[in-house]
Every structure is written in C-alpha cells, then in structure tokens.
Amino acid sequence: MRYLAINNERKRVMNLNYHQKEIFWLRFAGWFCLLPATTYLYLYQNLHSWFCLGELIIIVLFAVYVLTTAKSNRWTDPKNMMRLLIFALIFVAVIIAIPLYLAYRNCKKIQ
C-alpha cells in the first residue's frame, strides 16, 4: 500500500513537471514570434506590401494569444495543441512550430 502511495506521488510530481515544461515552451513560442514579426516589419518598411502587413498582424495576434493563455488548462488537451501547431505552420512561421512541437510532446506525456 505504501508503494502505491509513493508511486502515485511520483506520477503527480512528474505530471506537474511536464506541465511546467509545456508552459515554458508555450511562452517561448510566444516570445519567439518576435523574430518573424521583425522580419515582416522590415519587409513592410522596404516593400510597402500589404501581404507583409497582414502577416505581421497575424503573427502579433498569435503571439499575444499564446502568451495570455499559456497557463490555461486548454493546452493540456493534445488536440488543442495540435490545432495550434498546425495554425502556426500554415499562417505564422515554421520556426515557431519547433517550440510548439516540444510543448505538444510534453502535453502527450501528461496524458
């Protein structure tokens, strides 16, 4: 009986650790959005392309959304993390998908 209690406590601590890592990678992805955002801002300043301005707005809104909801229980569901990852691949930047994949992997380990 004592072994089961210790084992359950160990699992709870490990799940908490994976959750903390998931929050870290989500925040990192949010702040890492500054890299493609500055690139699109530079391109907009030089080319005056509406596409670059649209991408800049999408990236900034995505970063704000990820940073404000990083601690939410919404991201403990792997389906939601996969949706965020696919959205980042299609609309934001491929480089943002790397920390989001690491967060998704930690999310899968919690389950």
Side-chain angles (χ1 to χ4, degrees):
M1 189 67 163
R2 179 170 164 80
Y3 174 74
L4 290 175
I6 292 172
N7 198 16
N8 286 339
E9 180 67 24
R10 187 174 294 151
K11 284 182 182 178
R12 187 183 65 78
V13 170
M14 287 181 65
N15 284 344
L16 183 65
N17 191 20
Y18 286 130
H19 186 65
Q20 292 295 330
K21 288 180 183 179
E22 179 187 3
I23 291 172
F24 169 77
W25 286 117
L26 281 169
R27 287 182 176 170
F28 183 80
W31 285 109
F32 202 52
C33 285
L34 290 175
L35 182 66
T38 54
T39 304
Y40 277 111
L41 180 62
Y42 178 76
L43 287 174
Y44 176 71
Q45 288 175 343
N46 290 329
L47 302 176
H48 301 290
S49 170
W50 287 101
F51 173 76
C52 294
L53 184 62
E55 277 293 319
L56 178 65
I57 291 170
I58 289 171
I59 291 171
V60 168
L61 290 176
F62 178 80
V64 168
Y65 176 70
V66 169
L67 287 172
T68 56
T69 61
K71 285 189 173 182
S72 173
N73 287 333
R74 174 185 178 94
W75 305 125
T76 56
D77 185 14
K79 287 193 309 187
N80 291 335
M81 282 297 300
M82 184 55 75
R83 289 178 188 153
L84 187 72
L85 182 63
I86 291 171
F87 183 85
L89 278 171
I90 295 172
F91 294 108
V92 181
V94 175
I95 198 163
I96 302 303
I98 297 168
L100 288 177
Y101 172 73
L102 295 172
Y104 172 74
R105 195 176 66 183
N106 285 323
C107 178
K108 291 287 279 188
K109 288 180 182 178
I110 291 173
Q111 303 296 324

